[in-house]
Amino acid sequence: MNKAVWVFCWAMTLVGTVSPAQDINDEIELTRSIIQTQRQAIVTAAMELSSDESSSFWPLYHEYREAMGKVDDRSVTLITDYSESFDTMTDELAQDMIQEFMSIRQAELDVTRKYLKRFQKILPPNKVARFFQLESKLDAVIDFELASEIPLVP
């Protein structure tokens, strides 16, 4: 599992290494794909699911990640918009971005609440807790990496 965590962290460093000549959208999608693959590998290793649990867990996991992916799309758009307007940031634009940031956080919480109930129907409480603990830790790695690359508002 340590190797999977290392590769996940390495993939996160790609977020900040896009050169101007590269197509940023392609780079973002590649990075997100790598992260998702590594995320699933980490979850696989850590969850220790029985075959019965596995058959119920993985379809729901993919549905959950798809729902979170839609929220992540909004985050990517916000970050892209921020980078494009960094030098021309107005108070009004900053306020709009704050509102979108808060809306994204609420959407993440809404998806988590929705799927928590569904995971609780198919897994014992300790495995549900483990899964959401993993999700939280993996999200923290991503948030840390993004925070280290995104400059403060001028």
Side-chain angles (χ1 to χ4, degrees):
M1 186 164 119
N2 288 339
K3 182 178 179 185
V5 172
W6 182 86
V7 173
F8 183 82
C9 292
W10 171 81
M12 282 313 306
T13 63
L14 292 177
V15 172
T17 60
V18 179
S19 71
Q22 294 172 311
D23 180 0
I24 187 114
N25 291 326
D26 288 345
E27 190 68 25
I28 289 169
E29 286 310 309
L30 175 62
T31 301
R32 289 175 77 186
S33 176
I34 291 168
I35 291 168
Q36 183 56 35
T37 299
Q38 291 306 314
R39 183 178 209 118
Q40 186 169 331
I42 292 166
V43 169
T44 299
M47 286 302 293
E48 301 174 359
L49 299 170
S50 70
S51 59
D52 286 343
E53 290 169 337
S54 237
S55 65
S56 299
F57 175 81
W58 289 111
L60 185 57
Y61 170 83
H62 292 297
E63 189 179 315
Y64 166 77
R65 288 307 315 158
E66 184 176 326
M68 277 301 200
K70 290 176 184 173
V71 178
D72 293 343
D73 290 345
R74 291 176 59 193
S75 293
V76 168
T77 299
L78 180 60
I79 292 166
T80 303
D81 290 349
Y82 176 71
S83 70
E84 291 172 356
S85 60
F86 182 79
D87 293 326
T88 59
M89 183 66 63
T90 64
D91 286 346
E92 182 181 2
L93 186 55
Q95 185 63 36
D96 290 346
M97 288 185 174
I98 291 168
Q99 291 303 315
E100 177 62 2
F101 174 78
M102 296 305 294
S103 177
I104 290 167
R105 291 291 186 214
Q106 184 62 53
E108 290 169 346
L109 186 56
D110 292 345
V111 170
T112 300
R113 281 191 179 129
K114 174 184 175 182
Y115 282 89
L116 171 63
K117 293 175 185 177
R118 295 180 66 191
F119 280 110
Q120 288 173 322
K121 291 179 183 178
I122 63 167
L123 293 175
N126 65 330
K127 288 191 178 178
V128 173
R130 181 184 304 163
F131 171 66
F132 283 104
Q133 186 180 27
L134 282 167
E135 286 291 298
S136 178
K137 287 180 179 227
L138 294 171
D139 289 343
V141 170
I142 293 168
D143 289 347
F144 175 79
E145 186 62 38
L146 289 172
S148 71
E149 296 294 330
I150 297 172
L152 294 174
V153 174

